[in-house]
Amino acid sequence: MSALGARPRRVAQRGGLRRALVLILGTVVWPGIAQFLAGARRLGAAVMVLWVAALTAALVMWFRFRPDRAQLIDWLTDPSVLQVARVTGLVLVVLWLLLFVDAWRLALVRSLNVWRLGVISVVNVTIVALVTSTAYLSWNTVSASKEVVEKVFTETKVESPLKGRYNILLLGADSGSDRFGLRPDSVNLVSIDADTGVPIMVSLPRNLQNVPFPEDSPMRTVYPYGFNCGSECLLNAVHTAAANRKDLYPRSKDPGLAATLDAVEGATGLEVNYYVLVNMKGFKSLVDAVGGITMDIKEPIAKFGKDDAWKQVYIQPGRRKLNGDEALWYGRSRVQSDDYTRMGRQKCLMQAMLKQLSPQQVVLNAGKIASSSAEMLSTNIPASELGAFGDLALKAKDKKIATLSVVPPEYSTVTPDFEQIRSDVAALVAKSERQQTRRPRATTSASPTTAPTTAAPTTEPTEKSPSAANNTDDLSATC
């Protein structure tokens, strides 16, 4: 009798374990099903119907409007949408967690022994922990996105693409107690095809002299023959020269920046749609926020300047993951180097960040990225255009970047031939547009893969100077 009595008890215990797992795991797939199966049919049915209605509405909206990638990015960067998403998500997660706790209560029946109770408890606690951590990560990401959009993308004026292209000026600026004003020492104009996202990059050295201003520029009334007031009148000094000239730029919040944009337009012949000003100290924080940037270091990079040469600390050659401080020195160091080699390194650094920043990194480090971005960036790109530019950035991620840099020996920085520079820029734009229409050559399986082909990537980069990135048809291959 004792054996016969034990068997029904074991069956009941096994059935109790299966029932408990169904109640808990069922709540993951179909919230409310635990309450419905356990007897609270009205509550369970109401929750189940609401869940199905919500999924159905989402599917109908998706297939009805079929938003493209740009529209999705617009929604994900709209502060009002983000605020609604935060509040709605928080309410849904709290209600879902309450259903899990109730399903756990319903699953705990007296017929379960200790180890089965332990299994059910571990499963439920694990699920609750996953839901809670995912909710926290989502809240943090949404809050960070909202903060960046509200602090950085405050402008409202929208610029249309010029001749089918967006021309965006990237300025790397450094200011400190030892210098007057802000000096944009890194000047790169990125021209992107508005349809395909194929980019080119035109770089101007900070020490470019005699920079002309367009005919409609207020600075042309002061410098009709270019910025030609001597060896101190370099491109990076335009900002300081016009910093207090509200008489020239009465509608501008930053006359020095407006004058710098005019100087770049005069030098390149390309009209600037938007600018992005990167503060170098904030850039350091951004690199740390994303966990570092991996670079191929071609030659030792000094981590000191003229005033602290006693340090003699270098970033050694090789493939290395740079932290924020190292990345900053990689992009700005000129000791035992020069402006033009530094310009090449800066291009490689931008290329590496474009390739290596993944959505996963952004999500996992959203809070840190938000704080560093607010410190690092200022721009006149309006929030309403973030969808379009986010889509362009994703298109450009895997495209070849052709570069042109106004550096010796091809160009003189003291007596530049600006007509030649503008002609070469126009030719680079035309070349990139022609290459977009070409079909890639078909590859065949007969093409051999030999030892020299595989050995080249390990030897060639170490022999190239970083300055090779200044003028190339493929920035990624050169870096």
Side-chain angles (χ1 to χ4, degrees):
M1 288 296 293
S2 60
L4 292 174
R7 188 168 176 233
R9 190 159 44 248
R10 287 196 299 270
V11 172
Q13 289 172 348
R14 288 197 297 270
L17 179 60
R18 287 196 297 269
R19 173 182 177 277
L21 292 175
V22 167
L23 294 180
I24 294 173
L25 296 177
T27 305
V28 177
V29 180
W30 198 352
I33 194 171
Q35 288 71 25
F36 184 82
L37 294 176
R41 293 185 177 274
R42 288 186 178 180
L43 174 61
V47 174
M48 293 167 67
V49 170
L50 287 174
W51 178 250
V52 172
L55 291 179
T56 303
L59 289 173
V60 169
M61 292 290 288
W62 179 268
F63 287 106
R64 171 68 177 81
F65 294 102
R66 290 187 178 275
D68 56 18
R69 185 165 60 184
Q71 180 63 66
L72 287 174
I73 297 174
D74 266 331
W75 289 341
L76 293 174
T77 54
D78 186 321
S80 59
V81 172
L82 293 174
Q83 180 63 20
V84 171
R86 285 202 309 173
V87 175
T88 303
L90 179 61
V91 172
L92 291 177
V93 167
V94 170
L95 293 176
W96 201 7
L97 288 175
L98 290 175
L99 290 174
F100 275 118
V101 173
D102 190 50
W104 189 11
R105 178 185 64 81
L106 295 171
L108 298 178
V109 295
R110 293 181 180 179
S111 59
L112 295 174
N113 58 25
V114 175
W115 79 266
R116 287 182 171 83
L117 288 173
V119 169
I120 294 171
S121 298
V122 169
V123 170
N124 198 71
V125 169
T126 301
I127 293 174
V128 169
L130 288 174
V131 171
T132 304
S133 59
T134 302
Y136 172 77
L137 190 61
S138 301
W139 174 274
N140 192 40
T141 302
V142 172
S143 299
S145 300
K146 184 173 180 291
E147 179 185 351
V148 171
V149 173
E150 290 178 338
K151 288 186 177 180
V152 177
F153 300 93
T154 57
E155 297 292 338
T156 57
K157 184 180 178 181
V158 176
E159 299 283 353
S160 300
L162 304 166
K163 298 180 180 179
R165 307 187 70 85
Y166 283 108
N167 300 321
I168 306 169
L169 182 61
L170 307 180
L171 296 170
D174 194 6
S175 59
S177 58
D178 60 336
R179 55 172 58 183
F180 173 72
L182 179 146
R183 296 183 184 180
D185 289 341
S186 174
V187 183
N188 296 281
L189 184 60
V190 179
S191 183
I192 309 174
D193 187 280
D195 294 322
T196 65
V198 174
I200 65 168
M201 184 185 298
V202 179
S203 300
L204 302 176
R206 69 174 188 88
N207 59 340
L208 190 64
Q209 298 185 32
N210 303 309
V211 180
F213 296 97
E215 291 185 3
D216 60 348
S217 170
M219 286 291 280
R220 193 177 178 95
T221 61
V222 183
Y223 301 100
Y225 305 106
F227 196 47
N228 61 347
C229 50
S231 59
E232 293 299 316
C233 282
L234 310 178
L235 175 59
N236 73 335
V238 172
H239 188 285
T240 301
N244 298 317
R245 298 303 302 266
K246 274 288 186 179
D247 57 320
L248 297 178
Y249 297 92
R251 297 182 180 180
S252 176
K253 298 178 182 177
D254 187 344
L257 181 59
T260 300
L261 266 62
D262 285 351
V264 171
E265 290 181 354
T268 63
L270 297 178
E271 186 175 343
V272 179
N273 292 92
Y274 297 108
Y275 73 86
V276 177
L277 178 62
V278 180
N279 180 287
M280 300 307 288
K281 293 180 180 178
F283 172 78
K284 172 183 174 181
S285 300
L286 177 64
V287 174
D288 283 333
V290 299
I293 296 294
T294 300
M295 300 293 302
D296 284 317
I297 311 298
K298 307 290 191 341
E299 56 195 21
I301 307 296
K303 291 183 62 180
F304 54 86
K306 292 185 297 183
D307 297 333
D308 55 357
W310 55 269
K311 291 182 178 180
Q312 293 296 305
V313 178
Y314 295 84
I315 304 172
Q316 296 300 325
R319 186 166 181 81
R320 302 184 179 280
K321 191 166 190 176
L322 307 181
N323 59 28
D325 182 64
E326 291 168 334
L328 184 59
W329 279 108
Y330 178 87
R332 74 189 301 190
S333 180
R334 283 189 294 154
V335 172
Q336 300 172 11
S337 183
D338 54 42
D339 278 312
Y340 314 120
T341 301
R342 180 175 73 167
M343 287 171 63
R345 293 199 307 267
Q346 289 170 351
K347 290 183 181 63
C348 290
L349 190 58
M350 286 187 283
Q351 167 75 11
M353 295 193 71
L354 177 65
K355 295 292 184 183
Q356 294 177 34
L357 282 181
S358 66
Q360 294 87 346
Q361 285 177 304
V362 173
V363 169
L364 293 175
N365 300 282
K368 295 178 181 178
I369 292 174
S371 60
S372 63
S373 296
E375 177 188 5
M376 178 185 74
L377 294 177
S378 61
T379 180
N380 65 341
I381 297 177
S384 60
E385 292 295 281
L386 288 177
F389 281 107
D391 185 55
L392 277 180
L394 291 174
K395 289 178 180 177
K397 187 178 179 68
D398 298 318
K399 299 289 194 304
K400 292 181 179 180
I401 302 178
T403 66
L404 183 149
S405 298
V406 181
V407 298
E410 291 85 356
Y411 305 95
S412 169
T413 58
V414 179
T415 56
D417 184 345
F418 285 103
E419 288 189 7
Q420 183 62 48
I421 293 171
R422 289 189 287 265
S423 175
D424 290 347
V425 170
L428 182 65
V429 171
K431 181 180 179 182
S432 74
E433 292 175 346
R434 287 196 303 270
Q435 290 177 339
Q436 293 171 35
T437 61
R438 295 177 184 174
R439 294 182 178 179
R441 294 181 180 179
T443 57
T444 64
S445 57
S447 300
T449 303
T450 61
T453 303
T454 58
T458 62
T459 57
E460 185 179 357
T462 58
E463 298 172 0
K464 285 184 178 179
S465 167
S467 60
N470 281 321
N471 293 287
T472 178
D473 289 333
D474 186 356
L475 182 59
S476 179
T478 304
C479 292

